[in-house]
Amino acid sequence: MPAATAPIAPSPVLRTLQLAVHGLFALLLAVGTVRGAQESSHPIPLVLGCLALGAWYAIGLVAEKRRPSSGVVWFAALFVGWIALVAVSVELSWVAFALFFIALHLLRVPVALAVIGLATLVVVTAQLARGDGPVVPRILGPCIGALVAIGIASIYRQLRTESEQRRQLNAELLAAQGDLIATHDALAGAQREAGVLQERARLAREVHDTRAQSFSSIVLLSRAGLTGTADESQLRDVLTRIEQAAADGLTDARSVVHALTPTELERAPLSAALQRLIDRQSGPTRLELVVDDQVGSLPTTVEVALLRIAQGALANVRQHADACRAVVTLGGDAHVVRLDVRDDGRGFDPSAPIVPSQSGGYGLNAMRARTEETGGRFAVESAPGEGTTVQVEIPLNGARS
């Protein structure tokens, strides 16, 4: 039935009632058409009129989804057509029972009650004009039918109102849940930012209390040596003290770096850390590690960079590649170390700009930044449908331990 207001998703009960009204209309129209055609001296015009009325009803069902505001006009034409058919055959008068429900669903209550009263009057008049049988049942029957329709329609309206209230309550609950999630994310972001600031402050203190103090000592000793006498023993003493200050500063610097070293690298070399990283991965992608025997001991900064780059590349494989197989290759020689992460996934266009968002877009930029920080070279080879290869090459002659 067309509706005058914006449609809402009906509950199963409401949907069942709507289908029942459609079925009732079709059944009463079909029975009235057959019986009217049997009694009429001109059945063909009557049948055509009934078919036209049924087609108009079907048109209203389609228009309900496209233009709900056209429902009143549709019902007016349907009602007038029904009165015309009742004038031809009284057998179609009982279609009014379905029209009662449609009017109560579609129109405002005062207007719907007026329409029901008019339809009841049409049915009673048609039944009395027939002239056969008792008079009282022909009057009470349509009136009782109208009262039953009004009662059922009232229940339908109440169910529809409760359904709309539940829908609004669910929408409010979802909105409140979204606000809670946003608040939680904001708190988590604030905590992360506070952690970052705290870590920066700690590192600043470490640098100030260790390397900065050592450098200050070296500067003061150098100035003392430059402004002092040229006595060889005094210069030797100054140089010895400078060497000791530099050694202490180097030890302190290594302690700071060690504190920032990933726990994976504290327990084993890079190859073993990569193997544990692969073993911890879960998902449909089969992961393999290939290590060149020529790869020896690497500087800590290089190991940290390669481990983090491998983590980022495997995260991209897991989240975006939809790959069946991925291979991590670690190789190189005494002068350079190479890391390749190759998968057979969906691939992408590396020349297309990557815009970071909440769903990703930071991984490749982070890997490139880590590589460049160590003086290395970062490259990505990929094409749609041809997989992706991440290539990292870091020279060892300039890498710091």
Side-chain angles (χ1 to χ4, degrees):
M1 290 176 293
T5 58
I8 61 172
S11 65
V13 175
L14 297 180
R15 187 59 182 168
T16 301
L17 290 175
Q18 290 178 348
L19 293 176
V21 172
H22 299 328
L24 178 64
F25 181 87
L27 177 63
L28 294 177
L29 181 62
V31 172
T33 302
V34 172
R35 296 189 61 176
Q38 292 175 349
E39 296 181 359
S40 176
S41 58
H42 302 285
I44 294 179
L46 177 65
V47 172
L48 292 177
C50 293
L51 292 176
L53 190 68
W56 182 250
Y57 188 89
I59 291 173
L61 297 181
V62 177
E64 174 186 9
K65 300 179 180 180
R66 298 183 179 180
R67 296 182 58 189
S69 60
S70 62
V72 175
V73 176
W74 169 83
F75 179 77
L78 183 72
F79 190 78
V80 172
W82 167 75
I83 294 177
L85 290 177
V86 172
V88 176
S89 174
V90 71
E91 298 295 339
L92 292 165
S93 60
W94 300 114
V95 177
F97 193 68
L99 297 179
F100 294 162
F101 291 103
I102 299 174
L104 289 168
H105 167 74
L106 182 63
L107 306 176
R108 289 179 299 176
V109 175
V111 178
L113 294 178
V115 170
I116 291 175
L118 177 60
T120 304
L121 180 60
V122 170
V123 174
V124 171
T125 302
Q127 293 294 327
L128 294 177
R130 193 170 189 174
D132 56 342
V135 174
V136 175
R138 281 180 284 171
I139 297 176
L140 291 181
C143 294
I144 294 174
L147 294 176
V148 171
I150 292 173
I152 295 176
S154 299
I155 298 174
Y156 174 85
R157 282 179 178 270
Q158 184 176 358
L159 290 175
R160 184 178 177 87
T161 301
E162 293 178 355
S163 177
E164 173 63 13
Q165 290 174 349
R166 285 195 299 269
R167 186 191 68 82
Q168 293 178 353
L169 179 60
N170 290 335
E172 292 175 358
L173 291 176
L174 290 176
Q177 183 180 9
D179 293 339
L180 288 176
I181 293 175
T183 303
H184 179 270
D185 293 342
L187 289 175
Q191 292 176 351
R192 286 194 298 270
E193 185 176 357
V196 170
L197 294 176
Q198 183 178 4
E199 183 66 13
R200 287 179 179 177
R202 187 186 70 82
L203 290 177
R205 290 193 300 269
E206 291 286 345
V207 171
H208 177 270
D209 296 339
T210 56
R211 283 176 287 179
Q213 296 295 337
S214 299
F215 290 147
S216 297
S217 299
I218 292 173
V219 170
L220 292 175
L221 290 172
S222 300
R223 288 176 179 175
L226 291 174
T227 58
T229 61
D231 184 81
E232 182 177 352
S233 61
Q234 290 183 353
L235 289 177
R236 184 180 298 276
D237 180 63
V238 170
L239 291 176
T240 301
R241 294 168 65 184
I242 290 175
E243 180 184 7
Q244 183 62 43
D248 293 341
L250 181 59
T251 301
D252 292 336
R254 286 175 173 171
S255 298
V256 174
V257 172
H258 178 75
L260 298 176
T261 301
T263 56
E264 297 92 337
L265 296 175
E266 292 179 353
R267 298 189 296 267
L270 177 61
S271 58
L274 289 173
Q275 185 61 57
R276 283 198 300 272
L277 176 64
I278 289 176
D279 294 339
R280 288 198 304 265
Q281 301 291 320
S282 61
T285 305
R286 182 164 55 91
L287 303 178
E288 300 176 16
L289 174 65
V290 179
V291 180
D292 192 342
D293 295 336
Q294 296 182 357
V295 178
S297 178
L298 299 174
T300 302
T301 54
V302 174
E303 288 188 334
V304 172
L306 293 177
L307 178 63
R308 296 310 187 205
I309 291 171
Q311 285 179 322
L314 291 178
N316 283 347
V317 172
R318 184 176 64 254
Q319 296 174 8
H320 308 296
D322 193 21
C324 296
R325 180 172 178 263
V327 179
V328 179
T329 303
L330 180 65
D333 50 37
H335 305 288
V336 67
V337 61
R338 300 181 183 87
L339 176 71
D340 292 346
V341 180
R342 183 177 70 258
D343 67 77
D344 59 358
R346 66 183 63 179
F348 68 101
D349 183 8
S351 63
I354 300 176
V355 180
S357 65
Q358 293 183 355
S359 60
Y362 298 91
L364 290 178
N365 292 334
M367 287 184 273
R368 180 177 286 104
R370 286 188 181 274
T371 305
E372 294 175 351
E373 287 175 358
T374 59
R377 183 182 64 86
F378 179 84
V380 177
E381 295 181 0
S382 182
E386 297 182 8
T388 302
T389 301
V390 173
Q391 299 177 336
V392 178
E393 182 177 295
I394 299 177
L396 298 179
N397 52 355
R400 295 173 294 176
S401 60

